[in-house]
Amino acid sequence: MSRTPRDHDLAALGERVSAARAAAEARGETFYPGASRVHLSAFPPKERWDDWVELSSRAWPARDEKHYMLVPTTCFNCESACGLLAYVDRDTRQVRKFEGNPEHPGSRGRNCAKGPATVNQVTDPDRVLYPMKRAGRRGEGRWARISWDEALDALAARIRAALTEGRQNEIMVHIGRPGEDGFTERVLASWGVDGHNSHTNVCSSGGRTGFQFWMGIDRPSPDHAHAKVIYLISAHLEAGHYFNPHAQRITEARQNGAKVIVLDTRLSNTASHADYWLSPQPGSEAAINLAIASNLIRTGRYDAEFVRRWWNWAEYLAECRPDLPGTFEAFQAVLAELYSGFTFEYAAAESGLDAAVIAEVAEVVAGAGTRFACHAWRSAAAGNLGGWQVSRTLFLISALLGAVATEGGTFPNAWNKFVPRPIHVPPHPGVWQDLSWPEEFPLAQNELSFLLPHLLKDGRGKLDTYFVRVYNPVWTNPDGLSWMEVLTDEQKVGCFVALTPTWNESAYFADYVLPMGHGSERHDTHSYEQYDGQWVGFRQPVLRAARERLGETVTDTREVNPGEVWEENEFWIELSWRIDPDGALGIRRYHESRACPGRKLTVDEYYGWMFEHSVPGLPERAAAEGRTPLEWMRRYGAFEISRGQGAVHEQEVPAAELTGAAVRGTGRVYTAAPAPDAPNIVPMGAPAPDDQGRRPVGVLIDAVVRRGFPTPSGRLEFWSSTLAAWGWPEHALPGYIKSHVHPSALDPGQVVLLSTFRLPTQIHTRSANSKWLDELSHTNPVWIHPSDAARFGVDRTGDLIRVETEIGYFVAKAWITEGIRPGVVACSHHMGRWKLSGHSQVRAGGMMATVALRAEQAGWAMRATEHVRPYSSADPDTARIWWSDTGVHQNLTFPVHPDPISGMHCWHQAVRVRPAEAGDAHGDIAVDTAKAREVYRRWMAQTKPAGHVSPDGTRRPRWLMRPLKPGAAAFALPADRSAGR
Ligand code: SF4
């Protein structure tokens, strides 16, 4: 065959790559594999990061050299934590741009659009630069600039008074994007408060719950790169969990022939790249999973030996089928019987898919063997009543195939994640926060954060000081106007503090708005499961690191950040000192130097100690370059600790750990003596102690004690003794719960609204300050199938429609498309950002419309009074804004739907869609918050409070995770609340 010009080009490129490799190696430099090393998109070699030269594009054709110092940090614009490299101009000492960090083992130099857009956030002309205190009524929009000292002293006095008066539960810190591993929890533990709240129950707790009941670990870590079949229940390639690091590995697998199966009712970008796109009726995903599992069982194509060794089938038989012999053969027969009803035809009837297509997909799955990688996170698990069974039934497939912690399989995330121990570890708080962990939800995966307005309205507590950080509850949560009602009520929330880089829909109602840094202006450590390995990443203020590289000393991050922008870690340390100035409350010692007791802890010492003492291999690696571990992390941004964790559950427990150990129950092996109350920073995946405080060390498998899983049985829990014991025996097995939007639950004329999907170019609550991203995505029309559009009387894309929920309606534009299933409509979140008229701090730029919010007899009405338009600012690009649309804030019109088991807000809505009325305007909102209360009460009636079902007088099984776990005594139900047992 003759060679084409392209062949010659490739050959030449190959020779250049080889020559570049040889030259780099001769210079003692790292060679980055791939052609990029030798053309314009090359990663700068790390040896040249002190003085990297690029030509100014603006000066062309003159050769104007720009000299940069390249400083790593971590992107903060989603949870993937990809590495970034800041290009710090050596002349101006300002950040010119951000690109990928090739030294980062997770992201490997690649980013999505949101990573480089960090520079927009840093240079945003409307960002919050100074501490602000409200000057008028809450929400009135009048503010006064104050000093950090004034803010710190006022907050410290409030918190100190609450702590000394025994009002620990009146302090709460509510976190949106954590972006770090444990710093805030550690601070709250040092104050002795159970005050951590999170956003997880409006995000991923449904998905987590299903994995947690199987593995004792709440997240999957699929080894996508080596998989034969990848099964995704989400838009994983563009917006799923850890999507950029995962997407690149999924792409590698596809290049190697892997098949990708995507369940998504909507034609997402991910679905468009799949080998099999299944568009099911929302809520039927678990039925499809069970049909695939049933096929494996029926045809005998499951890994029986894995099931025999690792499932808790014997416990299931003993507890639920004592009529049968306790043999594995008896269990296999029961297993076949249990799932025999989940035929392809049944799944087809539930999902609306073709039974033959489900059968074909089931065959592909059956052929994957142990190379079956899967993921479910938000999506269906976050949309439906019982959505947690979507991930539980998904993992059933993995567990049948034996594709657990195998090459190309799915790992428990804790094995692919590493959380270093911090310098000081405070004890567990001795109190229990009912406003975050109400007794109606003893098995909730995370805090019932989105119920806070209703619990406050119920009079179940009040807050003296309420912090939010990277969190915008009015905009993010369902029923945001109920949030606004409590945030403006000083009897319910005494002091509301927004720690935020940008103004947002919640900060308008705050008492203090305190400016915090973006991803290049703050310190954090983090580690996420993105492949079968462990790494630690370091987010840092890049200008601080740059100046230190130049020999300058920086002791406070405010010295290098714009205006008086700070970082939370230094803020929390300072605030803790002011709460406990003389150490009498026992708080200060957790924020003191270890090297010089009595002196304030610095972030350099905090991270220096952590990297020196808690990250295996890092001190040696740093020493080899003549650096301290902290210097090494400041220079490279991430450290890979290990690769190839493999099947940790199979590891044999060393005999030294087994001296005096006792085997109990179904083979769980416990230490001989009670362990001391474990430190608050519990290693991921560490099993909880038993009732006597004894620590599980393993599980007996065929007469060998192996590490096992951190579940009560030590095995994978096909049958959950916890669900059975805490009032839900009917859901103790992987099963199918019909959704609240199941067709049988819809009234005539109603359709399902999917509201959970993200746009890949938006950053939740911080996109409004990124001009590039705003330009890319600035509207959220409602996806409607042509057949539905005809039924609704909607003629054209762009026509205004009303979408009516249980508590109100929103007015949006229609997008008529075949990319959505008939009978289902969809609208992305991220959009509908607004500012209240009269708030002079926020201009009508970027993504925020100006709105008028009116109290009406039946609730609230919102209408935009001004849309986005060009405006002049220090950034000439704001005068070039060409769009005016901002989309619609649909979440305001959703009532709360707490799943009674997982606690997840079930996002899908049963709605009616019709053409807008005369006088309706795009973005209009109407909400009846009294009706929102009725819906709240209806869903609460489905719960089974701990006071009624707790088998042991506790509020919650101690083995279940909690981000900040109180001490054992705080788990006891108060005597008056355990009376119903
Ligand atoms: S996926 Fe994008 S937004 Fe998320 S951390 Fe990576 S670069 Fe940032």
Side-chain angles (χ1 to χ4, degrees):
M1 192 188 288
S2 63
R3 282 161 65 90
T4 65
R6 181 170 159 70
D7 292 334
H8 286 291
D9 286 351
L10 288 174
L13 183 61
E15 286 165 18
R16 284 164 59 201
V17 170
S18 301
R21 180 193 299 275
E25 287 172 357
R27 288 194 302 271
E29 294 181 351
T30 307
F31 179 76
Y32 296 98
S36 67
R37 183 66 177 76
V38 290
H39 58 64
L40 284 176
S41 62
F43 292 121
K46 64 186 180 192
E47 293 78 8
R48 298 192 216 159
W49 286 6
D50 280 339
D51 188 10
W52 176 250
V53 182
E54 291 189 352
L55 296 180
S56 166
S57 54
R58 289 192 179 151
W60 187 88
R63 287 179 62 87
D64 179 13
E65 288 192 351
K66 293 283 180 198
H67 289 254
Y68 297 105
M69 199 183 309
L70 307 189
V71 184
T73 188
T74 305
C75 181
F76 199 22
N77 286 339
C78 86
E79 69 286 8
S80 299
C82 300
L84 292 176
L85 269 188
Y87 283 57
V88 180
D89 190 311
R90 291 181 68 99
D91 296 324
T92 64
R93 306 269 177 92
Q94 294 300 311
V95 178
R96 176 87 180 97
K97 62 179 178 178
F98 291 92
E99 294 196 350
N101 177 3
E103 293 295 314
H104 194 290
S107 57
R108 305 184 294 190
R110 298 162 191 168
N111 299 110
C112 77
K114 294 181 280 187
T118 302
V119 74
N120 295 167
Q121 298 168 304
V122 169
T123 58
D124 161 35
D126 288 335
R127 67 181 296 186
V128 185
L129 289 173
Y130 303 97
M132 308 293 278
K133 184 180 179 185
R134 76 174 158 98
R137 282 180 291 105
R138 273 195 195 157
E140 193 182 335
R142 294 200 294 125
W143 298 89
R145 180 175 160 184
I146 59 170
S147 68
W148 271 110
D149 278 336
E150 187 179 340
L152 285 160
D153 285 339
L155 295 174
R158 291 190 76 96
I159 296 168
R160 181 181 172 84
L163 299 183
T164 54
E165 291 164 15
R167 295 185 285 114
Q168 275 77 3
N169 280 344
E170 294 187 16
I171 310 298
M172 183 180 287
V173 178
H174 205 148
I175 294 169
R177 169 72 47 231
E180 48 95 11
D181 273 326
F183 197 101
T184 318
E185 290 92 319
R186 199 186 66 88
V187 171
L188 290 166
S190 78
W191 297 355
V193 306
D194 182 22
H196 181 274
N197 210 335
S198 73
H199 77 288
T200 311
N201 261 326
V202 294
C203 179
S204 56
S205 65
R208 290 169 189 252
T209 301
F211 294 113
Q212 168 91 11
F213 282 126
W214 261 111
M215 302 189 274
I217 293 172
D218 67 345
R219 274 175 272 177
S221 176
D223 181 16
H224 288 307
H226 305 104
K228 190 172 175 189
V229 174
I230 295 170
Y231 189 105
L232 306 170
I233 306 183
S234 68
H236 203 88
L237 282 176
E238 77 233 52
H241 211 45
Y242 310 134
F243 77 92
N244 166 39
H246 275 182
Q248 47 184 275
R249 291 170 171 88
I250 292 171
T251 303
E252 286 170 15
R254 289 197 75 210
Q255 287 169 341
N256 292 328
K259 295 283 183 235
V260 176
I261 300 162
V262 172
L263 267 71
D264 195 332
T265 304
R266 183 181 63 91
L267 180 59
S268 62
N269 294 344
T270 305
S272 72
H273 284 74
D275 296 282
Y276 293 92
W277 170 41
L278 307 184
S279 171
Q281 180 67 28
S284 64
E285 292 83 354
I288 298 169
N289 292 342
L290 289 173
I292 292 170
S294 177
N295 181 54
L296 295 174
I297 298 165
R298 193 170 53 245
T299 60
R301 284 178 292 174
Y302 64 95
D303 186 337
E305 182 60 2
F306 179 85
V307 172
R308 185 191 67 78
R309 294 179 70 234
W310 284 109
W311 290 26
N312 68 334
W313 58 268
E315 186 180 18
Y316 164 70
L317 285 184
E319 295 293 332
C320 301
R321 297 300 302 271
D323 53 312
L324 297 175
T327 63
F328 184 60
E329 291 69 29
F331 173 71
Q332 285 182 292
V334 171
L335 184 64
E337 186 185 307
L338 281 170
Y339 293 102
S340 61
F342 288 97
T343 60
F344 298 134
E345 290 69 28
Y346 176 81
E350 287 297 291
S351 66
L353 300 175
D354 187 331
V357 171
I358 302 173
E360 187 176 334
V361 166
E363 286 305 303
V364 173
V365 170
T370 57
R371 291 182 184 266
F372 176 77
C374 66
H375 210 302
W377 198 239
R378 303 178 188 101
S379 188
N384 299 288
L385 174 73
W388 59 275
Q389 283 278 25
V390 173
S391 52
R392 186 144 161 78
T393 54
L394 179 61
F395 196 78
L396 171 65
I397 300 172
S398 295
L400 281 165
L401 290 169
V404 179
T406 51
E407 188 175 46
T410 301
F411 289 69
N413 89 308
W415 300 353
N416 293 160
K417 176 179 170 75
F418 184 85
V419 181
R421 189 178 172 86
I423 187 168
H424 299 301
V425 181
H428 299 259
V431 291
W432 186 278
Q433 176 56 274
D434 285 307
L435 291 174
S436 309
W437 299 93
E439 73 170 81
E440 287 89 342
F441 299 90
L443 304 183
Q445 185 66 27
N446 284 82
E447 300 91 340
L448 269 296
S449 54
F450 61 99
L451 297 187
L452 186 61
H454 292 283
L455 298 173
L456 288 170
K457 286 184 179 188
D458 285 347
R460 294 170 65 160
K462 62 178 182 173
L463 295 173
D464 177 282
T465 307
Y466 176 58
F467 294 89
V468 295
R469 58 83 86 180
V470 199
Y471 187 54
N472 181 0
V474 172
W475 183 80
T476 303
N477 285 301
D479 197 9
L481 292 169
S482 290
W483 278 88
M484 188 196 68
E485 288 174 353
V486 298
L487 291 176
T488 49
D489 182 344
E490 292 180 43
Q491 299 304 309
K492 295 184 172 60
V493 180
C495 179
F496 173 28
V497 187
L499 306 175
T500 176
T502 60
W503 288 96
N504 61 46
E505 290 80 352
S506 304
Y508 308 145
F509 304 103
D511 298 295
Y512 293 91
V513 175
L514 303 180
M516 292 294 160
H518 288 292
S520 58
E521 299 167 339
R522 50 181 293 133
H523 289 95
D524 296 300
T525 51
H526 36 261
S527 172
Y528 300 120
E529 61 283 4
Q530 297 175 346
Y531 59 93
D532 182 21
Q534 294 183 333
W535 54 266
V536 170
F538 189 37
R539 185 175 289 123
Q540 63 177 340
V542 295
L543 295 179
R544 177 176 177 144
R547 290 195 184 208
E548 287 174 352
R549 230 190 261 181
L550 292 170
E552 297 178 28
T553 301
V554 180
T555 53
D556 184 316
T557 300
R558 286 173 293 184
E559 295 167 23
V560 296
N561 278 346
E564 292 181 9
V565 170
W566 210 356
E567 64 158 34
E568 283 152 43
N569 295 356
E570 287 176 348
F571 167 77
W572 291 128
I573 292 169
E574 183 62 40
L575 183 61
S576 298
W577 268 65
R578 295 192 192 211
I579 292 169
D580 187 18
D582 55 6
L585 298 183
I587 294 172
R588 210 184 81 173
R589 63 193 162 111
Y590 298 110
H591 306 279
E592 284 182 6
S593 165
R594 201 183 255 245
C596 304
R599 298 237 325 245
K600 202 173 294 174
L601 182 64
T602 65
V603 286
D604 272 350
E605 185 179 350
Y606 179 85
Y607 289 108
W609 189 94
M610 177 184 279
F611 296 148
E612 179 78 42
H613 296 92
S614 304
V615 181
L618 176 54
E620 296 77 10
R621 178 81 169 272
E625 290 187 24
R627 305 181 198 279
T628 67
L630 178 61
E631 287 168 349
W632 197 96
M633 289 298 277
R634 287 213 185 279
R635 177 155 286 262
Y636 300 119
F639 177 70
E640 187 176 58
I641 297 163
S642 62
R643 269 191 206 184
Q645 295 302 111
V648 174
H649 60 286
E650 289 280 10
Q651 291 172 4
E652 286 188 35
V653 178
E657 289 185 47
L658 297 174
T659 309
V663 181
R664 297 218 233 106
T666 54
R668 203 63 165 120
V669 181
Y670 290 82
T671 51
D677 211 9
N680 225 335
I681 310 300
V682 180
M684 288 287 298
D690 72 356
D691 291 343
Q692 285 79 48
R694 296 181 180 88
R695 189 169 55 86
V697 286
V699 59
L700 203 56
I701 303 287
D702 294 341
V704 177
V705 181
R706 299 185 184 273
R707 282 284 173 224
F709 297 87
T711 54
S713 66
R715 289 178 159 81
L716 290 174
E717 298 212 335
F718 167 70
W719 175 74
S720 168
S721 58
T722 305
L723 279 161
W726 286 75
W728 300 99
E730 67 274 35
H731 297 310
L733 296 175
Y736 175 42
I737 298 173
K738 288 190 176 168
S739 169
H740 66 298
V741 292
H742 187 272
S744 63
L746 299 180
D747 290 336
Q750 283 188 322
V751 293
V752 182
L753 169 66
L754 303 185
S755 62
T756 48
F757 70 95
R758 298 169 165 192
L759 296 178
T761 44
Q762 290 290 312
I763 318 166
H764 294 288
T765 63
R766 291 167 289 149
S767 295
N769 297 74
S770 173
K771 62 186 180 187
W772 295 343
L773 302 180
D774 293 353
E775 185 170 16
L776 285 170
S777 310
H778 44 255
T779 190
N780 60 342
V782 175
W783 301 36
I784 305 176
H785 191 271
S787 60
D788 288 328
R791 193 156 56 96
F792 302 149
V794 178
D795 298 328
R796 283 176 301 274
T797 285
D799 283 357
L800 289 187
I801 55 171
R802 267 196 190 200
V803 180
E804 296 172 346
T805 67
E806 289 165 282
I807 63 169
Y809 68 83
F810 62 90
V811 177
K813 291 177 182 169
W815 182 37
I816 301 174
T817 170
E818 293 190 350
I820 188 78
R821 180 180 184 78
V824 183
V825 296
C827 186
S828 85
H829 69 207
H830 289 306
M831 293 297 163
R833 302 298 310 277
W834 48 271
K835 80 179 199 76
L836 288 171
S837 55
H839 282 246
S840 56
Q841 283 75 23
V842 191
R843 287 174 285 192
M847 291 286 288
M848 288 194 175
T850 307
V851 300
L853 182 62
R854 280 193 327 273
E856 304 226 313
Q857 206 168 10
W860 297 93
M862 179 184 284
R863 168 159 290 183
T865 56
E866 188 176 7
H867 290 283
V868 168
R869 56 173 171 72
Y871 64 103
S872 55
S873 74
D875 180 355
D877 278 350
T878 61
R880 300 178 182 124
I881 292 173
W882 53 265
W883 63 94
S884 59
D885 201 349
T886 51
V888 58
H889 185 187
Q890 58 176 337
N891 290 6
L892 287 177
T893 67
F894 301 162
V896 295
H897 292 159
D899 183 274
I901 294 176
S902 69
M904 176 78 216
H905 169 61
C906 307
W907 277 101
H908 292 346
Q909 306 286 319
V911 299
R912 287 192 165 78
V913 179
R914 58 192 177 89
E917 295 187 357
D920 281 353
H922 183 216
D924 277 1
I925 299 285
V927 172
D928 183 340
T929 47
K931 275 192 187 161
R933 295 284 289 158
E934 289 170 20
V935 179
Y936 156 73
R937 291 190 191 102
R938 206 166 65 233
W939 279 71
M940 290 295 276
Q942 301 181 61
T943 62
K944 296 184 181 177
H948 296 277
V949 297
S950 173
D952 57 4
T954 60
R955 300 170 192 257
R956 171 182 177 82
R958 279 193 68 208
W959 76 271
L960 288 180
M961 292 179 177
R962 270 197 59 175
L964 172 59
K965 222 171 204 175
F971 275 73
L973 277 163
D976 61 328
R977 297 227 292 275
S978 58
R981 291 192 298 121

